[in-house]
Amino acid sequence: MQDILVVDDEPLIRLGLKKIIDNARAGFQVRGEAGNGNEGLEKLAAHRFHTVITDIKMPGMNGVEFVKSIFSRHPGVRVIVLSGYAEFEFVRETMKYGAVDYLLKPVDNQDLLDLLSEIGRKPGAAGSEPDASTAPPASKNDPVSRAKAYIAEHYRHNISLNEIAGIVHLNAIYFSQLFKKEMGENFSGYLIRCRIEQAQRLLEDPHNRIAEISLEVGYEDPNYFSRIFKRMTGLSPQEYRAQRGGRNA
């Protein structure tokens, strides 16, 4: 059983994450909560947690400082960072200090559970899994390039990290590490960015309806597409199109 610590200054977010995780009954449970980084460190000192889920922006000690402190004091703890669309520079900083992955807000329930399952399958002993940071340079570029080519061709479909890891013949956890190290962002973030960049291109043509663009870039629900688009760009699809002189549709 993975014991999880949730750290976020918004009580409703902590409650929501706890419900998602505990209701899944999938081998992990929330055993602690904290409202900021300092409280989180106190909880970590009092109980042995397997994983920490933390917001990037909090009062007092922010997420970057918190992650840095975790890996200096509790190096065996895995950290997942929660981020908004405008916080990728902070996310990259946490990756330097050892955060294993990040999720965009609002958190997708299945993405969270899949990531926790993936982390739980990784043995805790150092050296028990290949580490992307120590892989020979010759082994890196080819799998990542093939993965990028596959994403470019299939981004409109429901593709997963496990699927692409199988295509490039790598362990999913190792591939996730390798992709993040090479690209500076995780697989899911890269896929979303590819989809949104293509959506931006399609929005330049005023004849393309937004519902059709949503389907074209892999989102069956136009409302969900609009939320993701605004999270990534700061504008709704309609606002983005209007800025470029196109019509709303």
Side-chain angles (χ1 to χ4, degrees):
M1 180 70 70
Q2 293 185 49
D3 285 1
I4 296 172
L5 173 64
V6 176
V7 183
D8 197 296
D9 59 316
E10 297 185 41
L12 287 178
I13 290 180
R14 297 201 303 268
L15 178 61
L17 291 172
K18 178 175 172 58
K19 285 184 177 179
I20 294 168
I21 293 167
D22 291 351
N23 289 346
R25 301 182 184 276
F28 27 76
Q29 62 181 344
V30 175
R31 293 293 299 273
E33 299 178 35
N36 56 56
N38 289 319
E39 288 181 13
L41 291 175
E42 292 176 4
K43 297 281 185 178
L44 284 164
H47 182 82
R48 185 174 180 178
F49 290 95
H50 178 277
T51 303
V52 172
I53 301 173
T54 181
D55 191 12
I56 199 77
K57 282 191 174 180
M58 297 181 289
M61 180 184 291
N62 66 29
V64 176
E65 296 168 337
F66 180 43
V67 172
K68 186 177 180 180
S69 295
I70 290 174
F71 284 94
S72 66
R73 305 181 193 185
H74 310 279
V77 175
R78 280 74 183 268
V79 177
I80 298 169
V81 174
L82 305 181
S83 167
Y85 79 91
E87 299 164 357
F88 282 111
E89 288 306 315
F90 293 107
V91 170
R92 289 191 179 96
E93 284 296 309
T94 66
M95 296 299 177
K96 292 178 185 178
Y97 295 121
V100 297
D101 219 323
Y102 71 89
L103 293 169
L104 291 173
K105 289 182 173 181
V107 174
D108 180 87
N109 295 12
Q110 195 58 52
D111 285 349
L112 172 60
L113 297 176
D114 288 347
L115 181 54
L116 288 172
S117 296
E118 180 184 317
I119 291 172
R121 288 193 296 269
K122 183 176 180 180
S128 58
E129 284 282 329
D131 186 339
S133 65
T134 59
S139 71
K140 290 182 178 180
N141 295 326
D142 187 52
V144 172
S145 296
R146 283 155 54 202
K148 288 170 61 182
Y150 186 87
I151 292 169
E153 187 174 350
H154 297 91
Y155 64 85
R156 61 181 57 84
H157 303 302
N158 186 24
I159 57 179
S160 68
L161 183 146
N162 285 338
E163 176 185 346
I164 294 187
I167 289 169
V168 299
H169 308 294
L170 290 176
N171 170 278
I173 295 173
Y174 173 65
F175 170 70
S176 177
Q177 292 178 332
L178 178 62
F179 191 92
K180 188 186 308 173
K181 183 174 179 63
E182 290 295 301
M183 299 303 298
E185 61 185 324
N186 66 10
F187 163 78
S188 62
Y190 180 82
L191 175 60
I192 290 170
R193 182 162 61 82
C194 288
R195 288 172 166 173
I196 297 307
E197 287 176 355
Q198 177 63 12
Q200 289 175 309
R201 288 188 284 270
L202 293 171
L203 283 164
E204 298 286 347
D205 184 345
H207 297 98
N208 292 328
R209 299 183 65 84
I210 290 173
E212 295 168 349
I213 293 172
S214 175
L215 285 172
E216 176 64 23
V217 299
Y219 298 102
E220 294 184 3
D221 183 350
N223 292 325
Y224 181 68
F225 161 68
S226 293
R227 291 197 299 272
I228 295 294
F229 189 94
K230 185 163 188 176
R231 188 194 310 162
M232 294 295 291
T233 68
L235 299 170
S236 71
Q238 292 88 345
E239 291 167 339
Y240 182 88
R241 169 168 279 172
Q243 274 196 355
R244 282 150 181 80
R247 65 179 177 87
N248 261 338

